[in-house]
């Protein structure tokens, strides 16, 4: 995360995160985000190469207007990937050839942070489409199951609390905790000229008793919130 090629004020170079020259290369259970390059800001593969991608997130990598796709070159999808912006180098299609891939959705990644490991990670935020949508047979490298995520935390977990344990897409395994989900989580803009913006809130699990969620502004001179509280119960907890 956070790599770039060329002048960061002017896009240049290829392969912001990965530049593959071998005949075959692969990423399994990885998260590649927030990299910059003119061509292939996440992954660039040379003509003789084919890149294998499995159970991985590719998102928020910035390419040029001419080559916006986050991946450039040969791609062999082993399935259960989430790619926010993909366009085939060869035919312009957004189809990776694997029906289990999720294309064009925001994975809702947290910033690169210390989430409890030696290396920083991008956490999956509540409501992420990467939660419990990975390989249903388990997180694997090849045919071998892995039991930990990048943070050495256990995987696989029931991240969406539906009673079924399933691998998450990417390097981070989300652990469910009772709470609430907000949509959208970013790009919410208002003005000081009377403009307004709307967000939606719901609980992520059924409450055992009514829940009151107070809402307020940290600076009422800049903006106000209406209503000032939300009420949830067993009948409306999952409604936006």
């Amino acid at each position: 995360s956070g790599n770039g090629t060329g002048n960061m004020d002017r896009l240049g170079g290829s392969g912001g995160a990965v530049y593959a020259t071998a005949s075959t290369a692969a990423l399994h259970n990885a998260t590649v985000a927030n990299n910059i390059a003119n061509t292939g800001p996440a992954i660039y593969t040379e003509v003789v190469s084919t890149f294998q991608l499995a159970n991985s997130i590719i998102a928020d990598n910035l390419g040029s207007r001419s080559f916006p796709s986050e991946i450039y070159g040969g791609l062999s999808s082993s399935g259960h990937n989430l790619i926010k912006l993909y366009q085939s180098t060869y035919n312009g299609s957004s189809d990776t050839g694997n029906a289990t891939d999720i294309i064009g959705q925001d994975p809702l990644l947290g910033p690169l942070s210390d989430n409890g490991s030696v290396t920083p990670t991008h956490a999956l935020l509540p409501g992420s489409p990467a939660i419990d949508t990975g390989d249903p047979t388990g997180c694997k490298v090849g045919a071998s199951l892995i039991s930990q995520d990048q943070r050495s935390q256990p995987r696989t977990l029931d991240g969406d609390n539906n009673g079924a344990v399933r691998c998450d897409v990417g390097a981070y395994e989300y652990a469910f905790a009772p709470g609430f989900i907000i949509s959208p989580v970013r790009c919410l803009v208002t003005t000081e000229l009377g403009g307004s913006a709307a967000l939606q809130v719901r609980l992520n699990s059924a409450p055992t008793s009514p829940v009151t969620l107070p809402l307020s502004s940290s600076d009422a001179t800049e903006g106000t919130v209406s209503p000032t509280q939300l009420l949830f119960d067993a009948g409306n907890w999952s409604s936006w």
Side-chain angles (χ1 to χ4, degrees), residues 215-225:
L215 302 174
S216 63
S217 170
S218 61
D219 186 348
T221 64
E222 291 292 327
T224 59
V225 179

Side-chain angles (χ1 to χ4, degrees), residues 59-226:
D60 300 325
N61 299 284
L62 179 62
S64 68
R65 291 182 180 178
S66 301
F67 301 98
S69 178
E70 299 184 74
I71 300 173
Y72 183 90
L75 174 66
S76 175
S77 172
S78 295
H80 306 288
N81 300 294
L82 192 160
I83 308 174
K84 189 173 181 181
L85 179 58
Y86 176 72
Q87 186 176 23
S88 170
T89 306
Y90 304 106
N91 60 21
S93 170
S94 60
D95 184 3
T96 63
N98 194 307
T100 65
D101 289 337
I102 300 171
I103 307 297
Q105 292 192 34
D106 186 343
L108 300 181
L109 298 176
L112 192 65
S113 305
D114 180 358
N115 291 304
S117 67
V118 175
T119 57
T121 52
H122 290 282
L124 298 178
L125 301 179
S128 167
I131 295 172
D132 280 20
T133 55
D135 189 337
T137 64
C139 297
K140 298 177 180 177
V141 176
S144 300
L145 287 170
I146 59 174
S147 59
Q148 297 179 330
D149 68 3
Q150 183 177 331
R151 304 165 299 146
S152 298
Q153 295 299 308
R155 65 186 329 177
T156 304
L157 303 174
D158 179 13
D160 60 6
N161 195 40
N162 69 350
V165 173
R166 183 165 173 173
C167 181
D168 294 345
V169 182
Y172 184 100
E173 187 75 12
Y174 179 84
F176 174 83
F180 56 87
I181 299 172
I182 299 175
S183 177
V185 296
R186 49 190 166 209
C187 300
L188 195 67
V189 179
T190 62
T191 72
E192 295 183 351
L193 300 176
S196 63
L199 57 83
Q200 297 175 303
V201 182
R202 69 174 178 86
L203 302 186
N204 65 357
S205 61
T208 56
S209 60
V211 173
T212 300
L213 180 65
L215 302 174
S216 63
S217 170
S218 61
D219 186 348
T221 64
E222 291 292 327
T224 59
V225 179
S226 178

